[in-house]
Amino acid sequence: MRSITLLLLLRHCAARGLFAPHVQLAQLTDEGWLQMPRNIKTVMIEIGCSDIMTMDDGDRHGPQFVYDRNAFLISFEPLLEKYAALLAKGNTRFHSTTKNKAVPLGHHHHRGVVLPFAVGTVPGQQIFNVSVVAGCSSLVRMVKRPGWAKICQNALEQREVQVITLTDALALVPPTMPIKYVKIDAQGMDFKIIKHTPRAALYRVQAV
């Protein structure tokens, strides 16, 4: 089986504080689609998760997923500490409190995978602006001006993250599989992401 990888060579640059490994993140079929249980009939996509109000927990828009036993969830979260928190849920869901047990690669749910990518309009390595409030972090540069919530105006740091497009995300799903719902919480990028996605790629998306 092929695998999703960070398409980078192992490198370390002390001057930039950057360490970017080549690492497998999920299992794909030979066709390049995410592996899913056989009973799956529809897919939901969640762009921007942090570690609160996520669809896998049934919060916010989540009940659609939680109660649809034939749905598969693909989540994207570029902040590694939040990505790790989501992955940790997988261990609890698969094994409760039992230690030293493996979980299927990338799974934060029996019917879901989380990937550490940002979703934007242009693929590749980009600067991600991290806010003190994690949910305010964005590919968009933070500015202190009216229209920006005060809690989102305090920057923590900048990180280099891997960005894919919504077209790339949709391509992880078999072309005959309907995509029931796409949730986008990309802090200022939401409408741009949709606008830059060809209609041909959105034909099977039932709701955004």
Side-chain angles (χ1 to χ4, degrees):
M1 298 298 178
R2 294 193 294 172
S3 63
I4 296 177
T5 61
L6 291 176
L7 302 178
L8 301 167
L9 295 176
L10 180 64
R11 71 184 192 269
H12 178 255
C13 180
R16 297 177 63 193
L18 176 65
F19 182 72
H22 184 98
V23 60
Q24 182 178 352
L25 300 172
Q27 301 287 356
L28 298 185
T29 67
D30 291 335
E31 295 82 6
W33 309 320
L34 282 169
Q35 289 185 13
M36 305 177 193
R38 292 184 178 181
N39 68 300
I40 296 301
K41 297 180 180 178
T42 188
V43 168
M44 300 183 189
I45 295 176
E46 180 177 28
I47 297 171
C49 303
S50 191
D51 55 4
I52 60 171
M53 297 187 294
T54 53
M55 290 179 66
D56 61 289
D57 278 338
D59 291 332
R60 208 170 180 178
H61 303 293
Q64 299 180 69
F65 168 71
V66 171
Y67 297 112
D68 188 343
R69 302 297 180 182
N70 299 119
F72 191 85
L73 176 64
I74 306 173
S75 301
F76 294 92
E77 176 49 57
L79 293 180
L80 291 185
E81 66 273 29
K82 304 309 176 188
Y83 168 66
L86 292 168
L87 281 180
K89 293 181 183 180
N91 194 77
T92 300
R93 286 173 172 141
F94 277 85
H95 304 299
S96 185
T97 58
T98 304
K99 304 294 184 182
N100 201 29
K101 293 285 189 177
V103 173
L105 184 60
H107 279 254
H108 62 328
H109 194 281
H110 289 85
R111 296 180 287 108
V113 164
V114 57
L115 300 170
F117 299 141
V119 178
T121 59
V122 180
Q125 293 293 113
Q126 294 183 39
I127 295 299
F128 197 70
N129 300 287
V130 183
S131 170
V132 172
V133 178
C136 296
S137 303
S138 176
L139 289 168
V140 178
R141 184 172 59 88
M142 296 177 191
V143 291
K144 292 188 177 183
R145 66 185 183 193
W148 279 72
K150 289 185 178 181
I151 62 170
C152 292
Q153 294 183 1
N154 295 317
L156 175 65
E157 61 188 16
Q158 290 185 324
R159 302 178 189 176
E160 190 170 339
V161 302
Q162 182 73 26
V163 179
I164 67 171
T165 65
L166 180 54
T167 301
D168 296 327
L170 297 174
L172 294 171
V173 181
T176 57
M177 179 82 68
I179 297 173
K180 187 174 183 179
Y181 187 83
V182 176
K183 169 195 165 186
I184 305 177
D185 188 1
Q187 297 300 319
M189 292 289 293
D190 308 50
F191 291 110
K192 290 181 180 179
I193 289 171
I194 293 296
K195 185 177 179 180
H196 282 77
T197 305
R199 289 190 176 184
L202 292 171
Y203 74 96
R204 56 194 171 130
V205 176
Q206 298 173 3
V208 178

